[in-house]
Amino acid sequence: MSGESMIREVRVDSDAALMPELHRLYETAFPVEEQIPYPDLVRLLPVIPIAYSAWYAGDSFVGLTLVCEWPTANWFWYFAVADGMRGRGYGSMVLKAVMARYSGRVLVLDIESPRQQCANLEQRCCRHAFYLRHGLRDTGLERTFSGVTYTMLASADSVFTDSDYESLLAELGRCWEAMPRKELARPWPGRTKATPAADPVGARGGCGAHCGGGQFWPSFMRLAMAICIFVLSDECLSTSASM
């Protein structure tokens, strides 16, 4: 039996999202200040084309993934592996399954840049190598949010340009602005402009307050302007490992 056949995917809607194991993993895998509040994430499911999946090995819960399926590209937002399932190859199995689903289509994700000097540089390089090892490529496209620089990775056979990146941000902004503010768990955050990295392939100087803890700059800013995947894999794990 192949590794991929050992896991199974269950698609999650706004009702299934309330399953305790999903809610618990989401809220423990990612720092609170870098989460979209879970009630708001659940409200987004019928509004934004999000493929939310729970993954299992037999009856054991393995982890979760969220991919935003835009016309421009499929944007891999979240990936977390449950504590008891790490170090057993399940992270690689899930990633391979997600990549197979979008084979022949554009799949992209943001990770903290391995070219920016900061306290978690070893962790960033490990994540970067993990994704390249599994067939993604570094596009060289980068953006800096609140002092943290993010690198865009894409499926190896796809074309993804700076204008495509801007289209993703614009589409996300339109969807977010259309959300009824009164339904949100937290106040409307306003908009903050992201700045392109000065040199998409050069060394990075400095590091913002989030250098040790993932890619979402405070909650809704991340959703309003640039959703970046935050992942806990079973390789290269630390408290906030984005893989």
Side-chain angles (χ1 to χ4, degrees), residues 24 90 114 211 234:
R24 186 183 310 112
Y90 288 116
C211 66
D234 62 350

Side-chain angles (χ1 to χ4, degrees), residues 92 95-96 99 109 111 114-115 124-140 151-156 235 242-243:
S92 292
L95 180 57
K96 289 177 182 177
M99 291 181 66
L109 59 89
I111 62 170
R115 295 179 284 271
R124 293 185 184 199
C125 291
C126 185
R127 297 170 196 155
H128 186 259
F130 173 82
Y131 282 117
L132 297 189
R133 192 164 62 247
H134 285 80
L136 291 162
R137 65 182 178 86
D138 190 328
T139 66
T151 298
M152 181 66 81
L153 307 184
S155 42
E235 299 183 40
S242 342
M243 304 239 340

